[in-house]
């Protein structure tokens, strides 16, 4: 039987929990190629993982991608990226992200 969105989301989440960003993103690509919805919690976890690793540009790209795919992004994902931006001294990015939430 073909996998559904829930099954793929579970795969993405397992990759995130294992700290494997690349594999998680590949599964997200597969999901989007099949027009399957990505659970917002899974997207948030992936954004948080990438942000914690200090790749703020990539985390922001993932956030944008989630926003385009779902029409919205989780406040938790925005908060994770805003916090990581502030911690690294990228106040301009933090302010820009905060404005998007307003």
């Amino acid at each position: 039987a073909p996998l559904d969105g829930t099954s793929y989301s579970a795969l993405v989440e397992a990759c995130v929990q294992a700290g494997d960003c690349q594999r998680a993103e590949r599964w997200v690509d597969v999901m989007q190629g099949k027009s399957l919805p990505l659970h917002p919690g899974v997207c948030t976890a992936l954004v948080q993982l990438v942000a914690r690793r200090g790749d703020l540009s990539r985390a922001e790209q993932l956030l944008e991608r989630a926003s385009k795919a779902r029409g919205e992004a989780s406040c938790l994902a925005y908060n994770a990226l805003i916090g990581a931006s502030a911690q690294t001294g990228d106040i301009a990015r933090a302010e820009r992200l905060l404005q998007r939430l307003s």
Side-chain angles (χ1 to χ4, degrees), residues 49-101:
L49 176 63
V50 174
R52 276 195 310 267
R53 292 188 171 184
D55 191 350
L56 301 182
S57 294
R58 184 69 188 135
E60 190 168 0
Q61 288 172 355
L62 290 167
L63 189 63
E64 290 297 320
R65 187 172 167 185
S67 294
K68 287 178 184 171
R70 294 186 48 85
E72 63 180 89
S74 162
C75 284
L76 293 174
Y78 270 101
N79 287 338
L81 189 49
I82 290 168
S85 298
Q87 286 178 339
T88 61
D90 192 346
I91 304 305
R93 183 190 308 264
E95 289 175 340
R96 186 177 68 250
L97 292 165
L98 186 59
Q99 287 176 352
R100 284 191 213 163
L101 279 175

